[in-house]
Amino acid sequence: MQVEGHKKDPLPAGSWTDFLQKTGLSLACLLLASAGICWIAANWAQASAFQKLAGAQAVLVVLVLITWRLVYVSGADKGQKFSLSANLTGLAAVATGALLALVGQIYQTGADPWELFFLWAVLLIPWLLAMQTVFLALLGVVLLNTAGALYLDIYEVGAWLGLSPWLVASLLLALMNFALLVLWEYGIAWLDDRWRIGPRVLGAGALGWLVAATVAGFDTDIGVLTIAVPGLLVTALVYWVYISKRPDLAMVCLAVLGAFCLVAISLIALMPSEEGLLLAIVVLIVSAGLALRHLGALMRSMQKIPAKASQSDQASSQDHAVASAPQEPWYLSLFRLAVMGIMACLVIAFLFMVLDLRFEQAWQLGAVIGAGGLLIFRVSQGDIPRELGTTLMAAGLLMTGIGLFIMDG
């Protein structure tokens, strides 16, 4: 396959070729794993316990032997984080979990579910030390989060403090993810995480657990603000670190999104009435517009086009200037979509509360609101009016779709 780069592309042609090759190999291994799971599910009832255990162990042994041959005998794949050996190691790691689950299903030992995921994560450590792939590290992070959530759900460590169990569990899991984030940042060169996948996943997980803890504050006497205010301080710290110490606009967008969610939850808790919800929507629309303006300015400052150009560059066509202009990155687009979705849900809740709508009537009002939002978006110039327009468009589309689906039923 030949891939020719375009001057608007963020990567040169060689990087795109490398990206497609690695992505295709990873997708092939993922499809192979899905095919194995489907084959096992289709023949599960006909296989005996011995066949199930022997088959799972045989697959695991074959994957380990092939990886050992590629890395330690031929040395062809050594040091390549998205190579065939790295993907096969990922398949072997998934097969290890399947084997543990199979043993637990055949031999009912009465162990708690969190022990399975914790043991699975521990067994990944030798492979991670040997291969140092991003996938193995991310799989370990997911397993630790799952094991921690299951453990804290069973033992309810916050009950003796008089707090909601999920409040304490969410805070502890957020702390664990922040600790893993620090470790990943220090070992990012060792893992060769050039795309910074790990920090962004861990940052999203930690901030997500903070938001979950704030939501759990509704069921406690300490209130939502007692949790939201320290959470806002944490998001401010994350923002500062990834602006000044380790510049990463994706992490900055995550921090701003986490702060936006915490502010939204706090406003809903402080103003539970219909008028309060309307005021919260107005405040959030203004905040979203200002946040998008600020993030856009940061993006332009970090992707600044050189001000001085040579005479030959100045004599080039206007198309070259347009092609060289910085485009909105994917993480800023995701931030825009997430904020728009949150505010659209609040608008829909407000309309149902005020107008006492039935679901069958939602599509009519949704069509009107969507058309009004489109008009506001087309005629407005500032960030705040445009954010209002996109919010109304999203709310109108959701109401129209839901209403028509219910009418069809």
Side-chain angles (χ1 to χ4, degrees):
M1 177 183 292
Q2 294 182 355
V3 180
E4 181 180 357
H6 191 273
K7 52 189 174 182
K8 288 186 179 182
D9 291 337
L11 295 175
S15 298
W16 276 115
T17 305
D18 188 45
F19 173 78
L20 290 175
Q21 185 179 17
K22 294 174 180 178
T23 305
L25 182 59
S26 300
L27 180 61
C29 289
L30 180 63
L31 293 175
L32 182 62
S34 301
I37 293 174
C38 293
W39 184 84
I40 292 174
N43 299 278
W44 184 261
Q46 288 75 27
S48 64
F50 174 78
Q51 292 173 333
K52 295 173 184 176
L53 288 173
Q57 293 178 75
V59 169
L60 183 58
V61 169
V62 168
L63 290 173
V64 172
L65 288 177
I66 294 176
T67 305
W68 171 78
R69 177 71 174 80
L70 290 172
V71 176
Y72 295 102
V73 177
S74 64
D77 285 346
K78 192 171 184 179
Q80 300 180 17
K81 307 306 178 184
F82 292 91
S83 60
L84 177 60
S85 60
N87 284 275
L88 290 177
T89 306
L91 283 176
V94 175
T96 301
L99 180 60
L100 291 175
L102 187 60
V103 171
Q105 191 269 339
I106 294 176
Y107 305 103
Q108 299 291 333
T109 60
D112 294 326
W114 71 268
E115 296 179 1
L116 166 66
F117 294 97
F118 183 75
L119 179 60
W120 189 359
V122 171
L123 292 176
L124 292 183
I125 294 177
W127 287 354
L128 181 60
L129 294 175
M131 293 298 297
Q132 304 152 22
T133 63
V134 175
F135 176 80
L136 288 177
L138 285 178
L139 180 59
V141 167
V142 173
L143 294 176
L144 287 177
N145 276 269
T146 306
L150 292 173
Y151 176 85
L152 294 171
D153 183 49
I154 293 173
Y155 292 99
E156 299 184 356
V157 295
W160 60 277
L161 293 174
L163 301 176
S164 170
W166 266 108
L167 169 61
V168 179
S170 299
L171 290 175
L172 291 175
L173 291 171
L175 180 62
M176 182 188 72
N177 281 272
F178 277 122
L180 292 174
L181 174 60
V182 174
L183 291 176
W184 196 298
E185 286 288 2
Y186 278 104
I188 195 167
W190 180 70
L191 288 170
D192 194 22
D193 189 6
R194 289 169 290 179
W195 295 342
R196 294 188 58 80
I197 300 173
R200 294 166 183 179
V201 172
L202 284 167
L207 294 173
W209 284 117
L210 272 181
V211 173
T214 308
V215 173
F218 282 100
D219 297 331
T220 61
D221 297 331
I222 62 175
V224 171
L225 283 180
T226 308
I227 309 162
V229 172
L232 288 172
L233 295 176
V234 172
T235 58
L237 177 62
V238 174
Y239 175 89
W240 175 78
V241 168
Y242 288 100
I243 280 288
S244 58
K245 300 299 181 182
R246 292 180 178 267
D248 187 347
L249 270 180
M251 294 295 293
V252 172
C253 289
L254 271 176
V256 177
L257 179 60
F260 182 85
C261 294
L262 294 178
V263 170
I265 296 169
S266 302
L267 290 175
I268 294 173
L270 289 174
M271 298 175 289
S273 63
E274 299 172 357
E275 296 80 5
L277 182 57
L278 177 60
L279 180 60
I281 292 172
V282 173
V283 172
L284 291 175
I285 289 176
V286 174
S287 302
L290 295 176
L292 285 168
R293 181 185 303 174
H294 175 67
L295 292 173
L298 284 177
M299 180 201 71
R300 288 187 293 271
S301 65
M302 298 181 75
Q303 300 178 352
K304 187 179 298 183
I305 304 174
K308 296 182 179 180
S310 62
Q311 293 295 330
S312 59
D313 292 335
Q314 293 177 359
S316 61
S317 63
Q318 186 179 3
D319 180 67
H320 175 75
V322 174
S324 302
Q327 299 177 349
E328 182 174 282
W330 59 269
Y331 40 81
L332 189 56
S333 300
L334 287 180
F335 174 84
R336 191 187 301 274
L337 289 174
V339 168
M340 181 180 64
I342 293 171
M343 292 189 299
C345 293
L346 293 178
V347 169
I348 294 173
F350 172 76
L351 292 174
F352 271 89
M353 290 172 59
V354 172
L355 301 179
D356 194 20
L357 289 175
R358 297 194 305 271
F359 284 102
E360 294 82 0
Q361 302 171 326
W363 72 271
Q364 300 169 340
L365 182 60
V368 174
I369 291 176
L374 178 60
L375 179 62
I376 294 173
F377 181 82
R378 293 296 299 270
V379 302
S380 60
Q381 298 295 329
D383 293 324
I384 296 176
R386 289 173 68 87
E387 194 60 33
L388 173 62
T390 56
T391 299
L392 293 179
M393 280 192 293
L397 287 173
L398 288 174
M399 293 178 66
T400 303
I402 295 173
L404 291 177
F405 176 78
I406 292 177
M407 285 187 62
D408 180 71

